[in-house]
Amino acid sequence: RSKGFGFVEFDSQETQLSAIEAVDGQELNERVVSVKVAHKLPEGEKRQSNRPAPVEKRPSETMVYVSNLPFSATDDDLRAIFEGLDITSAHIAVRSNGRSKGFGFVDFGSNADQQKALEKNATELQERTLTVEVAQTAVENSADDQ
């Protein structure tokens, strides 16, 4: 599938400018084409990314990440796996259309219950083998870190 852009190299600046003039703003496959001159970055310099900086993470003391959940599983199904433990929250991640992403998080009242929950790794739910592991949480930067 096309990413919607491309590069063309010309043999002269004159040909390049003629092509820009002839094609820029034209319609191609029901889309308006925008043509600009590409500029090479100075050697050793990298293009800035629009992506946010990676977030530093650390293992949670009380939360587990549960993956390979059946798409039909509910938050209550997730809670039932860890019945008898002190669950403070349990939720399955869903897409904007409401469909499950096949993973979820369960937070417990203590580290001891989190450790007991990890023993549920490889549990079967609706004929799927679940993976239960320690969840990673974002590390918040405090004023002391700066």
Side-chain angles (χ1 to χ4, degrees):
R1 179 178 166 148
S2 170
K3 291 188 179 187
F5 67 91
F7 296 93
V8 178
E9 194 169 321
F10 294 94
D11 56 2
S12 71
Q13 187 173 11
E14 183 179 304
T15 309
Q16 175 191 49
L17 295 174
S18 291
I20 291 171
E21 196 173 301
V23 180
D24 189 40
Q26 296 297 313
E27 197 170 295
L28 176 67
N29 296 331
E30 300 177 9
R31 297 190 71 174
V32 176
V33 177
S34 173
V35 182
K36 297 180 176 23
V37 176
H39 300 282
K40 290 183 180 180
L41 291 174
E43 196 167 322
E45 196 173 311
K46 291 186 178 181
R47 189 168 304 281
Q48 289 185 351
S49 171
N50 290 338
R51 293 181 184 169
V55 176
E56 185 180 341
K57 294 184 179 186
R58 64 172 170 75
S60 170
E61 298 280 324
T62 57
M63 191 180 300
V64 296
Y65 167 78
V66 184
S67 60
N68 203 32
L69 289 166
F71 292 126
S72 61
T74 65
D75 290 352
D76 288 338
D77 293 331
L78 188 57
R79 280 181 174 277
I81 296 166
F82 304 102
E83 192 174 345
L85 300 178
D86 180 21
I87 299 171
T88 59
S89 71
H91 67 277
I92 294 175
V94 293
R95 299 183 190 289
S96 59
N97 65 6
R99 183 182 159 121
S100 168
K101 290 185 176 184
F103 68 88
F105 296 91
V106 182
D107 201 7
F108 298 92
S110 69
N111 179 259
D113 277 349
Q114 179 204 44
Q115 294 305 308
K116 289 177 190 168
L118 293 172
E119 295 171 11
K120 297 287 188 171
N121 187 44
T123 296
E124 295 277 327
L125 178 64
Q126 298 173 18
E127 300 180 9
R128 294 187 65 101
T129 304
L130 305 181
T131 301
V132 180
E133 52 193 18
V134 174
Q136 299 293 308
T137 57
V139 175
E140 292 185 31
N141 292 332
S142 67
D144 297 339
D145 293 344
Q146 296 173 1

